[in-house]
């Protein structure tokens, strides 16, 4: 049984309590490793290590930080297959997805911010004949990064890379559901020569280890990705301590499909945008709005293609849908399918547990479900399910589509399918979301701002936004 270790002050250590949590392989339903159950004592040790490391790391110069981070990125690339297999074992996702998306993106995240820091500048303001103001962008000090289970190494690195590049020391906690690749990553950091204490990884439960990070007085900023309710708890703790907070929270994203869309591309992409990673991506569209003239045609084609997606053993090359992340999560999704029926919805396909042969028979599999016949205001259409479930609704006008799309408390991402660029641009302006994809989905340029509005979060990550978040601007005014 693999024992995962914390990474504190450059060393791999058990939790001080010496307690462990079981880590399940969702593809088999069996415990396959143990996670340190850390608490405030471990966070305290991590903060002490970070405090010691900060003066040198924050002043070693961007070239040195670039060199070490770039080496970390190289090592992720060199260990791609091992990391991809570990990610799929830990999260249940199809190996094809871990290979194509999760691990390559983790490598890109580190490399992107390693190089971005070489080009990061600050502004100056000239008061003619009188003075010049320049802005120093200094690291905050010790920062916390807390990430979820759906894109484990991808989101973990997305946070810590800009934090490290800007000269901060980091206390990070991956999700207790998917800690394995963060552990493997900590070994890569040692190999790459990251100085002890610069990055510290504390494993364990959110309300214990996570809460200890959020409430530690020496941790001055917290970047969090996770559920909206957890975000509220974090904000309650961090706001009175005046911590800088970045909250990337839940979504209930609309896909708006007009009759003049490129039908083939729209259907093909909607299969992906609905069900990639079993719908467990915050950017997946879960409400599909289809203009009435093509409603039946689009629905029937979508159902046909979704029925053919292979669900099962994530390590088979042609599997598209692996296992859901946990038994509890599958129960939650099944509960929503029951609710959808009670609310009057018809399940057009899927929504059934799947039991593959042999050692995978106890895994948490669920066939992808498409539902129609539900009003926009019902709970199924309002609450985040975060599983392989989408609903379909017809619409008649652009105004109606906009009203339906904006009629939820969330505002993370959206997609619009139309050949009419004027209409698409009009819609993009009015849609309440941090990201609008027109005739595409999940096309990401790491320089762009990333985040949500309404209950989907506060603040932006990505590109310069992330570098700004992890620095404190100081205005210096020099009088002539
Ligand atoms: P979660 O909120 O349960 O947990 C996220 C992380 O927070 C975990 O590491 C957890 O241990 C920790 N945590 C839990 N309670 C805590 C507390 N009191 N204090 C500090 N840390 C705590 O979320 P999840 O179930 O892991 O992830 C799924 C959610 O994440 C979905 O709602 C999804 O939409 C959202 N998500 C959002 C984005 C985005 O970019 N907006 C990206 C991915 C996932």
């Amino acid at each position: 049984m693999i024992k995962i270790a914390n990474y504190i002050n450059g060393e791999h250590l058990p939790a001080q309590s010496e307690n462990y949590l079981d880590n399940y392989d969702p593809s088999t339903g069996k415990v396959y490793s143990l996670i340190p159950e850390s608490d405030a004592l471990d966070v305290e040790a991590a903060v002490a290590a970070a405090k010691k490391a900060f003066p040198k790391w924050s002043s070693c110069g961007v070239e040195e930080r670039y060199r070490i981070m770039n080496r970390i990125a190289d090592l992720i690339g060199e260990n791609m297959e091992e990391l991809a297999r570990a990610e799929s074992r830990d999260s249940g996702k199809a190996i094809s997805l871990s290979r194509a998306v999760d691990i390559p993106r983790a490598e890109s995240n580190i490399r992107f911010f390693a190089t971005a820091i070489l080009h990061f500048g600050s502004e100056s303001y000239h008061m003619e004949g009188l003075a010049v103001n320049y802005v120093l962008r200094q690291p905050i000090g010790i920062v916390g990064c807390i990430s979820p289970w759906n894109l484990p190494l991808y989101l973990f690195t997305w946070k810590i890379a800009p934090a490290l590049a800007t000269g901060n020391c980091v206390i990070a906690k991956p999700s207790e559901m998917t800690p394995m690749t963060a552990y493997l990553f900590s070994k890569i950091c040692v190999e790459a020569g990251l100085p002890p204490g610069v990055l510290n990884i504390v494993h364990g439960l959110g309300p214990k280890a996570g809460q200890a990070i959020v409430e530690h007085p020496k941790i001055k900023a917290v970047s969090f990705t996770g559920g909206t309710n957890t975000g509220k708890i974090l904000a309650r703790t961090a706001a009175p301590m005046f911590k800088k907070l970045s909250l990337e929270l839940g979504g209930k994203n609309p896909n708006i499909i007009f009759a003049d869309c490129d039908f083939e591309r729209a259907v093909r992409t909607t299969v992906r945008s609905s069900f990639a990673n079993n719908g467990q991506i915050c950017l997946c569209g879960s409400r599909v709005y289809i203009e009435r003239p093509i409603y039946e045609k689009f629905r029937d084609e979508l159902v046909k293609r979704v029925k053919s997606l292979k669900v099962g053993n994530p390590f088979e090359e042609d599997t598209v849908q692996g296992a859901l992340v946990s038994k509890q999560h599958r129960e939650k999704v099944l509960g929503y399918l029951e609710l959808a029926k009670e609310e009057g919805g018809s399940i057009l396909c899927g929504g059934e547990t799947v039991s593959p042969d042999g050692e995978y028979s106890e895994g948490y599999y669920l066939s992808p479900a498409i539902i129609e016949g539900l009003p926009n205001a019902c709970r199924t259409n309002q609450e985040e399910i975060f599983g392989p479930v989408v609903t379909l609704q017809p619409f008649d006008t652009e105004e109606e589509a906009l009203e339906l799309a904006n009629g939820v408390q969330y505002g993370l991402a959206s997609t619009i399918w139309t050949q009419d660029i004027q209409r698409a641009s009009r819609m993009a302006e009015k849609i309440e979301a941090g990201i609008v994809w027109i005739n595409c989905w999940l096309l990401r340029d790491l320089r762009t701002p990333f985040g949500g509005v309404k209950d989907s979060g506060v603040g932006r990550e990505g590109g310069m936004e992330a570098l700004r978040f992890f620095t404190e601007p100081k205005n210096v005014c020099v009088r002539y």
Side-chain angles (χ1 to χ4, degrees):
M1 184 83 63
I2 310 162
K3 273 190 178 169
I4 289 172
N6 285 338
Y7 172 56
I8 296 175
N9 202 21
E11 288 183 84
H12 284 103
L13 303 168
Q16 294 191 32
S17 67
E18 293 185 12
N19 291 337
Y20 284 93
L21 302 161
D22 288 338
N23 188 25
Y24 285 82
D25 171 349
S27 72
T28 61
K30 297 197 172 59
V31 174
Y32 85 107
S33 67
L34 296 172
I35 316 164
E37 195 196 348
S38 311
D39 56 29
L41 288 176
D42 304 286
V43 171
E44 195 59 55
V47 169
K51 194 167 168 236
K52 212 164 75 201
F54 180 70
K56 207 161 167 203
W57 182 248
S58 57
S59 62
C60 68
V62 292
E63 299 263 347
E64 176 66 356
R65 295 205 289 273
Y66 156 78
R67 191 186 62 76
I68 296 173
M69 289 180 66
N70 209 36
R71 179 75 190 124
I72 293 175
D74 287 345
L75 288 169
I76 294 176
E78 285 167 28
N79 292 282
M80 186 72 68
E81 184 58 19
E82 184 198 353
L83 288 165
R85 294 193 81 77
E87 201 69 293
S88 287
R89 171 116 295 151
D90 223 22
S91 67
K93 71 178 68 194
I95 186 74
S96 54
L97 194 66
S98 297
R99 279 189 193 129
V101 177
D102 290 74
I103 310 304
R105 176 57 193 277
E107 180 184 349
S108 305
N109 287 340
I110 302 280
R111 210 180 301 285
F112 175 84
F113 286 109
T115 52
I117 197 63
L118 299 175
H119 307 274
F120 186 47
S122 65
E123 49 297 23
S124 75
Y125 302 94
H126 188 203
M127 300 165 80
E128 285 156 4
L130 188 63
V132 66
N133 293 275
Y134 62 89
V135 180
L136 281 180
R137 285 220 160 249
Q138 296 173 302
I140 293 171
I142 307 174
V143 299
C145 295
I146 301 176
S147 54
W149 51 259
N150 64 321
L151 298 165
L153 193 60
Y154 174 136
L155 288 174
F156 190 72
T157 50
W158 179 237
K159 295 187 172 300
I160 63 176
L164 294 175
T166 42
N168 297 284
C169 290
V170 177
I171 317 297
K173 194 192 90 62
S175 169
E176 59 273 31
M177 315 270 253
T178 52
M180 186 56 83
T181 47
Y183 170 55
L184 298 175
F185 179 78
S186 66
K187 293 185 175 186
I188 285 177
C189 290
V190 174
E191 196 181 336
L194 188 71
V198 168
L199 169 67
N200 303 276
I201 302 176
V202 178
H203 292 274
L205 299 171
K208 228 182 196 177
Q211 182 70 21
I213 292 174
V214 178
E215 61 192 25
H216 198 292
K218 291 213 162 63
I219 298 177
K220 297 292 183 198
V222 178
S223 172
F224 168 81
T225 300
T228 295
N229 281 335
T230 317
K232 284 184 191 164
I233 298 172
L234 255 82
R236 237 175 262 141
T237 308
M241 298 177 84
F242 306 114
K243 295 191 183 202
K244 230 174 161 180
L245 261 190
S246 170
L247 300 174
E248 301 292 337
L249 309 176
K252 187 78 180 173
N253 308 313
N255 287 354
I256 304 170
I257 298 162
F258 284 96
D260 70 345
C261 68
D262 175 335
F263 189 85
E264 170 52 33
R265 272 179 66 199
V267 181
R268 193 176 351 116
T269 310
T270 303
V271 172
R272 255 187 353 106
S273 65
S274 303
F275 297 112
N277 198 28
N278 265 316
Q280 302 169 133
I281 299 182
C282 54
L283 304 167
C284 278
S286 46
R287 296 175 291 141
V288 184
Y289 299 110
I290 307 158
E291 204 174 7
R292 203 172 300 271
I294 60 159
Y295 181 83
E296 273 91 17
K297 184 178 168 206
F298 192 92
R299 175 195 64 193
D300 295 348
E301 192 57 32
L302 190 68
V303 168
K304 189 178 104 193
R305 294 192 195 193
V306 168
K307 274 183 176 166
S308 74
L309 298 176
K310 184 177 160 190
V311 182
N313 176 356
F315 297 99
E316 284 176 6
E317 302 291 327
D318 58 343
T319 293
V320 182
Q321 304 293 99
L324 268 63
V325 74
S326 69
K327 195 172 178 185
Q328 295 83 330
H329 189 55
R330 188 171 70 169
E331 292 303 316
K332 177 188 148 186
V333 177
L334 285 167
Y336 271 106
L337 287 160
E338 280 310 305
L339 175 71
K341 283 187 236 164
E342 284 163 25
E343 289 181 322
S346 317
I347 299 184
L348 304 176
C349 67
E352 281 146 13
T353 58
V354 175
S355 182
D357 292 337
E359 62 170 319
Y360 295 96
S361 63
E362 301 294 312
Y364 316 130
Y365 303 94
L366 183 65
S367 54
I370 301 178
I371 307 171
E372 72 171 354
L374 286 170
N376 213 42
C378 73
R379 283 183 54 204
T380 309
N381 272 328
Q382 292 290 318
E383 298 176 13
E384 185 185 43
I385 300 173
F386 213 54
V389 180
V390 297
T391 63
L392 310 183
Q393 288 177 74
F395 68 88
D396 291 299
T397 64
E398 194 179 310
E399 293 70 30
E400 189 192 356
L402 205 56
E403 202 178 310
L404 291 166
N406 288 342
V408 295
Q409 67 191 35
Y410 295 103
L412 186 55
S414 53
T415 63
I416 302 170
W417 290 90
T418 176
Q419 305 277 24
D420 180 345
I421 191 64
Q422 301 203 342
R423 168 158 64 194
S425 313
R426 258 193 322 268
M427 297 279 292
E429 222 178 275
K430 293 194 183 132
I431 215 151
E432 295 165 356
I435 304 159
V436 182
W437 275 296
I438 297 173
N439 298 331
C440 60
W441 177 70
L442 208 61
L443 192 53
R444 292 278 296 120
D445 180 328
L446 302 191
R447 294 169 297 182
T448 59
F450 178 90
V453 298
K454 294 155 78 176
D455 284 8
S456 291
V458 180
R460 291 292 179 276
E461 298 186 336
M464 294 299 143
E465 299 279 347
L467 298 178
R468 287 195 196 103
F469 175 78
F470 284 113
T471 50
E472 204 61 83
K474 180 188 285 174
N475 181 56
V476 182
C477 178
V478 188
R479 175 129 204 194
Y480 292 163

